[in-house]
Amino acid sequence: MLDNNGSVITLVEGKLALKGQNLTVTGTGGDLMVNDGGNLELYGDETVTLVSTYPTLDTGSTVTYTGDGDAGADTYTITVLEDGYSNLVINSTDGATDTFQLGTALDVNGNFTLTAGKVDVVSGQNYAVNVAGNWSNSGTFTARSGTVTLDGVNQTLTGAT
């Protein structure tokens, strides 16, 4: 738990990896801000509790969901943030065994990168996915009946599309 006494905790550059630990930021008016060049790394099952409810993600910031590194096939939920992501990276460190499921519709205002693992839009939910930047897929993306919308300009698609 961080008690920032009402000030903003800013990740200017580098990575803040929660590694399965919960993050609680307290203090009146306190916030967690991830600047351009910063990377907030989550497994997907941590609890992130902020005064402002959501971290502030500047343009150019990255949120990475990564597997826990064991050999098991784990399932995680991608927590969708209020204003969407700037850049989103999904990376199963177990190779192709981890599955990351959407908890609601997904909005990525920058690049979407699936380096390894599986992203599942979730059967019966069919969440929409909007990506304004480039789409790179080296894993398995299961859209089900959900809609993927590329809503940017001059976007590049690489990997399995």
Side-chain angles (χ1 to χ4, degrees):
M1 176 169 37
L2 296 173
D3 184 353
N4 60 333
N5 199 20
S7 60
V8 175
I9 296 170
T10 303
L11 177 59
V12 177
E13 288 186 16
K15 176 171 55 174
L16 173 60
L18 296 188
K19 298 281 188 190
Q21 302 299 310
N22 297 330
L23 173 65
T24 301
V25 179
T26 61
T28 305
D31 193 8
L32 173 65
M33 179 176 288
V34 182
N35 285 356
D36 178 11
N39 184 352
L40 178 62
E41 185 176 33
L42 307 165
Y43 287 151
D45 54 358
E46 296 99 336
T47 301
V48 179
T49 306
L50 305 171
V51 173
S52 62
T53 308
Y54 299 99
T56 301
L57 302 173
D58 284 351
T59 300
S61 66
T62 301
V63 174
T64 300
Y65 286 91
T66 191
D68 59 11
D70 68 10
D74 300 310
T75 301
Y76 304 98
T77 300
I78 296 175
T79 305
V80 177
L81 305 177
E82 183 176 36
D83 295 327
Y85 297 93
S86 180
N87 296 301
L88 179 62
V89 176
I90 309 296
N91 182 31
S92 170
T93 55
D94 300 344
T97 62
D98 289 331
T99 300
F100 298 84
Q101 297 179 329
L102 296 187
T104 187
L106 180 63
D107 184 25
V108 181
N109 297 309
N111 299 324
F112 173 85
T113 305
L114 173 55
T115 57
K118 303 169 188 170
V119 172
D120 187 349
V121 174
V122 181
S123 181
Q125 301 301 320
N126 303 320
Y127 295 121
V129 175
N130 293 299
V131 177
N134 297 325
W135 175 281
S136 177
N137 181 5
S138 297
T140 302
F141 182 85
T142 306
R144 301 200 183 264
S145 295
T147 302
V148 176
T149 303
L150 302 173
D151 57 5
V153 178
N154 297 324
Q155 292 173 268
T156 302
L157 304 175
T158 57
T161 54

